[in-house]
PDB file of all heavy atoms in Angstrom:
ATOM      1  N   ARG A   1       0.831  -1.202   0.000  1.00 97.00           N
ATOM      2  CA  ARG A   1       0.000   0.000   0.000  1.00 97.00           C
ATOM      3  C   ARG A   1       0.872   1.261   0.000  1.00 97.00           C
ATOM      4  O   ARG A   1       0.544   2.255  -0.646  1.00 97.00           O
ATOM      5  CB  ARG A   1      -0.937  -0.010   1.208  1.00 97.00           C
ATOM      6  CG  ARG A   1      -2.028  -1.066   1.129  1.00 97.00           C
ATOM      7  CD  ARG A   1      -2.914  -1.056   2.374  1.00 97.00           C
ATOM      8  NE  ARG A   1      -3.814  -2.189   2.404  1.00 97.00           N
ATOM      9  CZ  ARG A   1      -5.017  -2.219   1.823  1.00 97.00           C
ATOM     10  NH1 ARG A   1      -5.438  -1.155   1.168  1.00 97.00           N
ATOM     11  NH2 ARG A   1      -5.762  -3.285   1.896  1.00 97.00           N
ATOM     12  N   VAL A   2       1.992   1.197   0.715  1.00 98.00           N
ATOM     13  CA  VAL A   2       2.918   2.331   0.689  1.00 98.00           C
ATOM     14  C   VAL A   2       3.527   2.473  -0.705  1.00 98.00           C
ATOM     15  O   VAL A   2       3.622   3.571  -1.254  1.00 98.00           O
ATOM     16  CB  VAL A   2       4.028   2.162   1.755  1.00 98.00           C
ATOM     17  CG1 VAL A   2       5.115   3.213   1.575  1.00 98.00           C
ATOM     18  CG2 VAL A   2       3.426   2.272   3.152  1.00 98.00           C
ATOM     19  N   GLU A   3       3.923   1.353  -1.296  1.00 98.00           N
ATOM     20  CA  GLU A   3       4.499   1.402  -2.646  1.00 98.00           C
ATOM     21  C   GLU A   3       3.506   1.964  -3.654  1.00 98.00           C
ATOM     22  O   GLU A   3       3.873   2.742  -4.550  1.00 98.00           O
ATOM     23  CB  GLU A   3       4.947   0.005  -3.078  1.00 98.00           C
ATOM     24  CG  GLU A   3       5.640   0.003  -4.434  1.00 98.00           C
ATOM     25  CD  GLU A   3       6.078  -1.388  -4.872  1.00 98.00           C
ATOM     26  OE1 GLU A   3       5.446  -2.380  -4.456  1.00 98.00           O
ATOM     27  OE2 GLU A   3       7.056  -1.471  -5.642  1.00 98.00           O
ATOM     28  N   LEU A   4       2.243   1.604  -3.494  1.00 97.00           N
ATOM     29  CA  LEU A   4       1.204   2.079  -4.414  1.00 97.00           C
ATOM     30  C   LEU A   4       0.780   3.516  -4.138  1.00 97.00           C
ATOM     31  O   LEU A   4       0.059   4.117  -4.936  1.00 97.00           O
ATOM     32  CB  LEU A   4      -0.022   1.154  -4.328  1.00 97.00           C
ATOM     33  CG  LEU A   4       0.174  -0.279  -4.814  1.00 97.00           C
ATOM     34  CD1 LEU A   4      -1.057  -1.120  -4.501  1.00 97.00           C
ATOM     35  CD2 LEU A   4       0.485  -0.304  -6.304  1.00 97.00           C
ATOM     36  N   GLY A   5       1.199   4.043  -2.983  1.00 97.00           N
ATOM     37  CA  GLY A   5       0.839   5.415  -2.641  1.00 97.00           C
ATOM     38  C   GLY A   5      -0.515   5.560  -1.981  1.00 97.00           C
ATOM     39  O   GLY A   5      -0.999   6.678  -1.791  1.00 97.00           O
ATOM     40  N   THR A   6      -1.126   4.435  -1.578  1.00 97.00           N
ATOM     41  CA  THR A   6      -2.435   4.509  -0.913  1.00 97.00           C
ATOM     42  C   THR A   6      -2.299   4.569   0.601  1.00 97.00           C
ATOM     43  O   THR A   6      -3.289   4.734   1.304  1.00 97.00           O
ATOM     44  CB  THR A   6      -3.316   3.313  -1.302  1.00 97.00           C
ATOM     45  OG1 THR A   6      -2.675   2.094  -0.934  1.00 97.00           O
ATOM     46  CG2 THR A   6      -3.572   3.305  -2.808  1.00 97.00           C
ATOM     47  N   ALA A   7      -1.074   4.428   1.114  1.00 98.00           N
ATOM     48  CA  ALA A   7      -0.816   4.565   2.548  1.00 98.00           C
ATOM     49  C   ALA A   7       0.477   5.347   2.736  1.00 98.00           C
ATOM     50  O   ALA A   7       1.428   5.197   1.960  1.00 98.00           O
ATOM     51  CB  ALA A   7      -0.708   3.205   3.228  1.00 98.00           C
ATOM     52  N   ASP A   8       0.497   6.200   3.760  1.00 98.00           N
ATOM     53  CA  ASP A   8       1.724   6.911   4.110  1.00 98.00           C
ATOM     54  C   ASP A   8       2.648   6.014   4.919  1.00 98.00           C
ATOM     55  O   ASP A   8       3.873   6.063   4.747  1.00 98.00           O
ATOM     56  CB  ASP A   8       1.380   8.157   4.942  1.00 98.00           C
ATOM     57  CG  ASP A   8       0.617   9.193   4.158  1.00 98.00           C
ATOM     58  OD1 ASP A   8       1.254   9.923   3.376  1.00 98.00           O
ATOM     59  OD2 ASP A   8      -0.625   9.266   4.309  1.00 98.00           O
ATOM     60  N   PHE A   9       2.045   5.235   5.800  1.00 98.00           N
ATOM     61  CA  PHE A   9       2.816   4.370   6.694  1.00 98.00           C
ATOM     62  C   PHE A   9       2.246   2.957   6.664  1.00 98.00           C
ATOM     63  O   PHE A   9       1.032   2.768   6.529  1.00 98.00           O
ATOM     64  CB  PHE A   9       2.766   4.882   8.136  1.00 98.00           C
ATOM     65  CG  PHE A   9       3.390   6.230   8.337  1.00 98.00           C
ATOM     66  CD1 PHE A   9       2.603   7.363   8.456  1.00 98.00           C
ATOM     67  CD2 PHE A   9       4.765   6.368   8.403  1.00 98.00           C
ATOM     68  CE1 PHE A   9       3.172   8.617   8.643  1.00 98.00           C
ATOM     69  CE2 PHE A   9       5.349   7.621   8.596  1.00 98.00           C
ATOM     70  CZ  PHE A   9       4.548   8.740   8.712  1.00 98.00           C
ATOM     71  N   ALA A  10       3.145   1.997   6.809  1.00 98.00           N
ATOM     72  CA  ALA A  10       2.743   0.595   6.923  1.00 98.00           C
ATOM     73  C   ALA A  10       3.406  -0.006   8.147  1.00 98.00           C
ATOM     74  O   ALA A  10       4.528   0.359   8.499  1.00 98.00           O
ATOM     75  CB  ALA A  10       3.153  -0.191   5.687  1.00 98.00           C
ATOM     76  N   LEU A  11       2.710  -0.924   8.791  1.00 98.00           N
ATOM     77  CA  LEU A  11       3.339  -1.745   9.817  1.00 98.00           C
ATOM     78  C   LEU A  11       3.783  -3.039   9.151  1.00 98.00           C
ATOM     79  O   LEU A  11       3.005  -3.676   8.435  1.00 98.00           O
ATOM     80  CB  LEU A  11       2.360  -2.057  10.949  1.00 98.00           C
ATOM     81  CG  LEU A  11       1.906  -0.892  11.820  1.00 98.00           C
ATOM     82  CD1 LEU A  11       1.171  -1.431  13.045  1.00 98.00           C
ATOM     83  CD2 LEU A  11       3.053  -0.015  12.244  1.00 98.00           C
ATOM     84  N   CYS A  12       5.023  -3.411   9.389  1.00 97.00           N
ATOM     85  CA  CYS A  12       5.564  -4.629   8.800  1.00 97.00           C
ATOM     86  C   CYS A  12       6.814  -5.033   9.576  1.00 97.00           C
ATOM     87  O   CYS A  12       7.382  -4.225  10.307  1.00 97.00           O
ATOM     88  CB  CYS A  12       5.904  -4.420   7.319  1.00 97.00           C
ATOM     89  SG  CYS A  12       7.178  -3.172   7.022  1.00 97.00           S
ATOM     90  N   PRO A  13       7.258  -6.273   9.422  1.00 96.00           N
ATOM     91  CA  PRO A  13       8.525  -6.676  10.046  1.00 96.00           C
ATOM     92  C   PRO A  13       9.701  -6.110   9.264  1.00 96.00           C
ATOM     93  O   PRO A  13       9.559  -5.740   8.095  1.00 96.00           O
ATOM     94  CB  PRO A  13       8.483  -8.205   9.967  1.00 96.00           C
ATOM     95  CG  PRO A  13       7.615  -8.491   8.790  1.00 96.00           C
ATOM     96  CD  PRO A  13       6.585  -7.395   8.748  1.00 96.00           C
ATOM     97  N   THR A  14      10.860  -6.065   9.894  1.00 96.00           N
ATOM     98  CA  THR A  14      12.054  -5.541   9.231  1.00 96.00           C
ATOM     99  C   THR A  14      12.340  -6.269   7.926  1.00 96.00           C
ATOM    100  O   THR A  14      12.777  -5.653   6.943  1.00 96.00           O
ATOM    101  CB  THR A  14      13.279  -5.667  10.162  1.00 96.00           C
ATOM    102  OG1 THR A  14      13.007  -4.997  11.388  1.00 96.00           O
ATOM    103  CG2 THR A  14      14.513  -5.049   9.525  1.00 96.00           C
ATOM    104  N   GLU A  15      12.087  -7.580   7.894  1.00 93.00           N
ATOM    105  CA  GLU A  15      12.427  -8.315   6.681  1.00 93.00           C
ATOM    106  C   GLU A  15      11.614  -7.873   5.470  1.00 93.00           C
ATOM    107  O   GLU A  15      12.056  -8.022   4.327  1.00 93.00           O
ATOM    108  CB  GLU A  15      12.306  -9.831   6.875  1.00 93.00           C
ATOM    109  CG  GLU A  15      10.959 -10.328   7.291  1.00 93.00           C
ATOM    110  CD  GLU A  15      10.888 -10.587   8.780  1.00 93.00           C
ATOM    111  OE1 GLU A  15      11.448  -9.781   9.546  1.00 93.00           O
ATOM    112  OE2 GLU A  15      10.268 -11.584   9.171  1.00 93.00           O
ATOM    113  N   SER A  16      10.419  -7.306   5.690  1.00 94.00           N
ATOM    114  CA  SER A  16       9.651  -6.773   4.563  1.00 94.00           C
ATOM    115  C   SER A  16      10.386  -5.600   3.924  1.00 94.00           C
ATOM    116  O   SER A  16      10.388  -5.437   2.698  1.00 94.00           O
ATOM    117  CB  SER A  16       8.268  -6.321   5.024  1.00 94.00           C
ATOM    118  OG  SER A  16       7.473  -7.421   5.417  1.00 94.00           O
ATOM    119  N   ILE A  17      11.009  -4.778   4.756  1.00 96.00           N
ATOM    120  CA  ILE A  17      11.764  -3.641   4.232  1.00 96.00           C
ATOM    121  C   ILE A  17      12.954  -4.136   3.421  1.00 96.00           C
ATOM    122  O   ILE A  17      13.226  -3.651   2.312  1.00 96.00           O
ATOM    123  CB  ILE A  17      12.220  -2.720   5.379  1.00 96.00           C
ATOM    124  CG1 ILE A  17      10.984  -2.106   6.048  1.00 96.00           C
ATOM    125  CG2 ILE A  17      13.173  -1.644   4.880  1.00 96.00           C
ATOM    126  CD1 ILE A  17      11.277  -1.287   7.267  1.00 96.00           C
ATOM    127  N   ILE A  18      13.655  -5.127   3.948  1.00 95.00           N
ATOM    128  CA  ILE A  18      14.789  -5.705   3.222  1.00 95.00           C
ATOM    129  C   ILE A  18      14.313  -6.279   1.888  1.00 95.00           C
ATOM    130  O   ILE A  18      14.945  -6.093   0.843  1.00 95.00           O
ATOM    131  CB  ILE A  18      15.466  -6.789   4.067  1.00 95.00           C
ATOM    132  CG1 ILE A  18      15.953  -6.202   5.389  1.00 95.00           C
ATOM    133  CG2 ILE A  18      16.623  -7.430   3.298  1.00 95.00           C
ATOM    134  CD1 ILE A  18      16.373  -7.239   6.408  1.00 95.00           C
ATOM    135  N   SER A  19      13.191  -6.965   1.930  1.00 93.00           N
ATOM    136  CA  SER A  19      12.641  -7.586   0.728  1.00 93.00           C
ATOM    137  C   SER A  19      12.312  -6.548  -0.338  1.00 93.00           C
ATOM    138  O   SER A  19      12.617  -6.723  -1.522  1.00 93.00           O
ATOM    139  CB  SER A  19      11.385  -8.393   1.092  1.00 93.00           C
ATOM    140  OG  SER A  19      10.832  -8.994  -0.049  1.00 93.00           O
ATOM    141  N   TYR A  20      11.710  -5.444   0.068  1.00 95.00           N
ATOM    142  CA  TYR A  20      11.364  -4.390  -0.896  1.00 95.00           C
ATOM    143  C   TYR A  20      12.609  -3.707  -1.444  1.00 95.00           C
ATOM    144  O   TYR A  20      12.644  -3.277  -2.596  1.00 95.00           O
ATOM    145  CB  TYR A  20      10.429  -3.364  -0.246  1.00 95.00           C
ATOM    146  CG  TYR A  20       8.972  -3.715  -0.457  1.00 95.00           C
ATOM    147  CD1 TYR A  20       8.371  -4.726   0.285  1.00 95.00           C
ATOM    148  CD2 TYR A  20       8.211  -3.072  -1.427  1.00 95.00           C
ATOM    149  CE1 TYR A  20       7.046  -5.077   0.080  1.00 95.00           C
ATOM    150  CE2 TYR A  20       6.888  -3.414  -1.643  1.00 95.00           C
ATOM    151  CZ  TYR A  20       6.314  -4.424  -0.882  1.00 95.00           C
ATOM    152  OH  TYR A  20       5.000  -4.777  -1.093  1.00 95.00           O
ATOM    153  N   ARG A  21      13.647  -3.630  -0.641  1.00 95.00           N
ATOM    154  CA  ARG A  21      14.888  -2.994  -1.079  1.00 95.00           C
ATOM    155  C   ARG A  21      15.673  -3.860  -2.056  1.00 95.00           C
ATOM    156  O   ARG A  21      16.492  -3.346  -2.828  1.00 95.00           O
ATOM    157  CB  ARG A  21      15.770  -2.708   0.138  1.00 95.00           C
ATOM    158  CG  ARG A  21      15.333  -1.507   0.949  1.00 95.00           C
ATOM    159  CD  ARG A  21      15.638  -0.233   0.189  1.00 95.00           C
ATOM    160  NE  ARG A  21      15.481   0.960   1.015  1.00 95.00           N
ATOM    161  CZ  ARG A  21      15.917   2.164   0.680  1.00 95.00           C
ATOM    162  NH1 ARG A  21      16.540   2.335  -0.462  1.00 95.00           N
ATOM    163  NH2 ARG A  21      15.720   3.196   1.469  1.00 95.00           N
ATOM    164  N   THR A  22      15.446  -5.164  -2.030  1.00 94.00           N
ATOM    165  CA  THR A  22      16.281  -6.081  -2.811  1.00 94.00           C
ATOM    166  C   THR A  22      15.510  -6.818  -3.908  1.00 94.00           C
ATOM    167  O   THR A  22      16.091  -7.671  -4.581  1.00 94.00           O
ATOM    168  CB  THR A  22      16.935  -7.128  -1.880  1.00 94.00           C
ATOM    169  OG1 THR A  22      15.913  -7.830  -1.168  1.00 94.00           O
ATOM    170  CG2 THR A  22      17.874  -6.455  -0.885  1.00 94.00           C
ATOM    171  N   LYS A  23      14.241  -6.501  -4.101  1.00 92.00           N
ATOM    172  CA  LYS A  23      13.494  -7.186  -5.157  1.00 92.00           C
ATOM    173  C   LYS A  23      13.964  -6.704  -6.527  1.00 92.00           C
ATOM    174  O   LYS A  23      14.742  -5.747  -6.639  1.00 92.00           O
ATOM    175  CB  LYS A  23      11.995  -6.991  -4.964  1.00 92.00           C
ATOM    176  CG  LYS A  23      11.501  -5.562  -5.106  1.00 92.00           C
ATOM    177  CD  LYS A  23       9.994  -5.507  -4.917  1.00 92.00           C
ATOM    178  CE  LYS A  23       9.458  -4.087  -5.146  1.00 92.00           C
ATOM    179  NZ  LYS A  23       8.000  -4.034  -5.160  1.00 92.00           N
ATOM    180  N   SER A  24      13.506  -7.352  -7.575  1.00 91.00           N
ATOM    181  CA  SER A  24      13.995  -7.050  -8.923  1.00 91.00           C
ATOM    182  C   SER A  24      13.745  -5.591  -9.316  1.00 91.00           C
ATOM    183  O   SER A  24      14.534  -4.992 -10.045  1.00 91.00           O
ATOM    184  CB  SER A  24      13.347  -7.991  -9.945  1.00 91.00           C
ATOM    185  OG  SER A  24      11.930  -7.901  -9.873  1.00 91.00           O
TER     186      SER A  24
END
């Protein structure tokens, strides 16, 4: 939702952030 711009903030585990930083 943050990536799509429909949310300013998301709750997620740290690994989600790593995953978004390292995806294709």
Side-chain angles (χ1 to χ4, degrees):
R1 291 179 189 273
V2 171
E3 184 180 28
L4 294 173
T6 59
D8 294 282
F9 297 102
L11 293 191
C12 62
T14 304
E15 58 261 40
S16 292
I17 295 174
I18 301 168
S19 180
Y20 269 76
R21 283 288 191 167
T22 57
K23 65 179 184 172
S24 56

